Amino acid sequence: ELDAQKRALEARRDAADREASAAAAELDAKKKALAAQQAAHAEEEARVAAELEKKREALERARVAALEAAEAEGEAEASKRREALAARLRKQAEDEERTATDVLAAKKKALDDRFKAHDAAEKEAALALDAKQKALDERRRAHEAAEAEEVKALEEKRNAAAAR
């Protein structure tokens, strides 16, 4: 009877250990998923910045090519065209840069907001896991105490029976 009770207590303790391991694995998986999302966000941000830089370079090449073409024409008219073209290209570049900067800022803000939400969720999950772990530890201690009480009671019964 004592051995059967000890086996039952050990089974309950093993179940509590498995539950704690599963909760820790779940938190680990959530952390890995968040890290993957953050890497994807950083990659998207780098891609948008690279696109913006390519557009700036293309505009600069177009401006230089247009200026070179204008220089091949008559100097007086070329000067007027250069000024008009430079002004138009400058305005176009500023508009595109402003638009790209606004898009990038909006994407960055969205990424930051998502990161903050994920961070808060991770903290919440960690707190929940910690509370779960504490509850499991408390249950384990209670089981161990009950087990010790049962073993002590059985020992006393056995001693009383042996004394008889």
Side-chain angles (χ1 to χ4, degrees):
E1 181 184 344
L2 178 61
D3 285 345
Q5 287 180 354
K6 281 184 180 179
R7 280 194 301 276
L9 286 171
E10 285 173 9
R12 287 195 302 260
R13 188 182 311 133
D14 289 347
D17 287 345
R18 282 192 302 276
E19 190 176 334
S21 294
E26 180 182 340
L27 180 61
D28 247 27
K30 285 181 181 179
K31 284 182 181 178
K32 286 178 183 172
L34 178 61
Q37 281 184 330
Q38 289 170 338
H41 295 328
E43 193 174 294
E44 173 67 13
E45 197 171 71
R47 188 187 61 74
V48 169
E51 284 178 14
L52 176 61
E53 187 57 33
K54 282 181 187 176
K55 285 182 181 179
R56 283 185 193 146
E57 290 171 3
L59 284 171
E60 182 60 24
R61 284 194 302 276
R63 186 182 71 80
V64 168
L67 289 175
E68 289 172 356
E71 283 177 4
E73 296 175 6
E75 201 51 39
E77 192 167 329
S79 177
K80 288 179 187 176
R81 284 185 181 163
R82 263 198 309 268
E83 290 174 17
L85 180 61
R88 193 175 80 239
L89 288 173
R90 196 171 27 258
K91 180 167 179 6
Q92 182 181 359
E94 289 170 0
D95 290 347
E96 285 196 27
E97 185 169 346
R98 194 175 311 111
T99 300
T101 302
D102 292 347
V103 166
L104 188 60
K107 283 186 176 185
K108 183 166 179 15
K109 184 184 180 328
L111 291 174
D112 288 347
D113 291 347
R114 284 166 68 187
F115 176 77
K116 286 176 187 172
H118 285 300
D119 195 35
E122 181 180 330
K123 286 179 184 173
E124 197 174 312
L127 288 175
L129 181 64
D130 195 31
K132 213 177 206 183
Q133 185 62 47
K134 285 180 183 174
L136 287 172
D137 290 346
E138 198 57 41
R139 281 177 41 199
R140 186 179 298 121
R141 280 199 245 11
H143 285 305
E144 287 172 357
E147 178 182 71
E149 285 295 320
E150 289 179 24
V151 168
K152 185 177 174 184
L154 288 171
E155 288 293 328
E156 287 175 6
K157 272 185 187 178
R158 191 178 345 176
N159 288 344
R164 275 192 235 129

